[in-house]
Amino acid sequence: MDKKQSLLALSAIAIGTAAYQILKPVRSNVPVVDDFDKTKYMGTWHEVARLDFFWEKNLQEVTATYDLRLDGAITVLNRGFDTVKKKWKESRGKAKFLGKDHIGALKVSFFGPFYSGYNIMHIDQDYKYALVFGENTDYMWILSRDKKVPEHIRQKYVQYAVRAGYATDQLVWADHEID
């Protein structure tokens, strides 16, 4: 294959990948919270644990702040301290419900038309602790209104994640000591 054919093949693959990302449905294959109250979920959550991925690499003191928009979507502001670069990092996005807004299955985007699953698996009745799965087993978060989670909640969420196929031995646990 010559350079021109290689370039055409790579371009076709890139266009196909982009089209798939834009058009693909984002769906949860696991049961999510079905009595979700979006107004109670709004505000700031502290990330207590996560499965690490590119954007959050080397971040501590990670928070996610959610605000309702007039169009029914949710503004998302993720923020964390990069311990290598010694500076704060922020990313703003939006989330939309995949169906009815009392079902904890959403899609979230930080990069234009590209969405990923955001599935609220467990949440306590006071909306203080939440277990969130992404669209596959590479993404998982334990969130709290405070910087810590009681041990019984931690165990419940981790055990559920193990049963769902998540590699909880790879969780990054938060260190909330950054000034």
Side-chain angles (χ1 to χ4, degrees):
M1 192 178 327
D2 67 8
K3 278 187 173 182
K4 186 176 180 180
Q5 288 175 323
S6 295
L7 185 57
L8 286 173
L10 287 174
S11 296
I13 290 169
I15 291 169
T17 300
Y20 172 76
Q21 287 293 324
I22 292 168
L23 300 173
K24 76 175 180 173
V26 179
R27 290 199 170 80
S28 170
N29 293 325
V30 288
V32 297
V33 171
D34 63 3
D35 60 349
F36 182 69
D37 184 337
K38 67 182 178 184
T39 58
K40 286 184 179 180
Y41 199 77
M42 297 303 106
T44 299
W45 291 85
H46 298 273
E47 181 182 273
V48 175
R50 71 172 178 265
L51 288 177
D52 220 6
F53 65 100
F54 176 76
W55 189 87
E56 288 190 290
K57 192 67 81 181
N58 302 316
L59 294 187
Q60 288 292 337
E61 290 288 327
V62 178
T63 59
T65 302
Y66 303 94
D67 290 303
L68 283 176
R69 294 169 26 150
L70 293 177
D71 64 0
I74 298 169
T75 298
V76 182
L77 175 63
N78 287 345
R79 186 171 192 262
F81 185 78
D82 188 318
T83 59
V84 173
K85 296 179 180 176
K86 303 291 186 210
K87 66 179 188 176
W88 289 93
K89 180 178 177 182
E90 288 186 354
S91 182
R92 187 173 300 276
K94 67 179 174 179
K96 297 179 180 181
F97 288 91
L98 291 177
K100 299 196 183 293
D101 66 3
H102 71 277
I103 306 293
L106 297 94
K107 61 182 182 177
V108 66
S109 175
F110 293 94
F111 310 105
F114 303 104
Y115 282 87
S116 292
Y118 184 94
N119 303 293
I120 302 157
M121 309 311 299
H122 287 289
I123 194 157
D124 70 300
Q125 69 181 25
D126 296 325
Y127 281 65
K128 291 174 88 173
Y129 314 108
L131 173 64
V132 178
F133 288 170
E135 65 188 35
N136 61 47
T137 58
D138 292 335
Y139 304 97
M140 176 189 149
W141 300 268
I142 297 175
L143 306 176
S144 175
R145 297 294 187 174
D146 301 315
K147 293 183 177 186
K148 298 190 186 275
V149 172
E151 186 60 29
H152 73 280
I153 297 289
R154 176 180 167 148
Q155 287 179 12
K156 174 184 174 180
Y157 289 178
V158 168
Q159 288 170 3
Y160 182 85
V162 167
R163 289 191 305 273
Y166 285 78
T168 59
D169 61 321
Q170 296 178 19
L171 284 171
V172 174
W173 292 92
D175 175 11
H176 292 287
E177 302 301 323
I178 306 298
D179 289 323

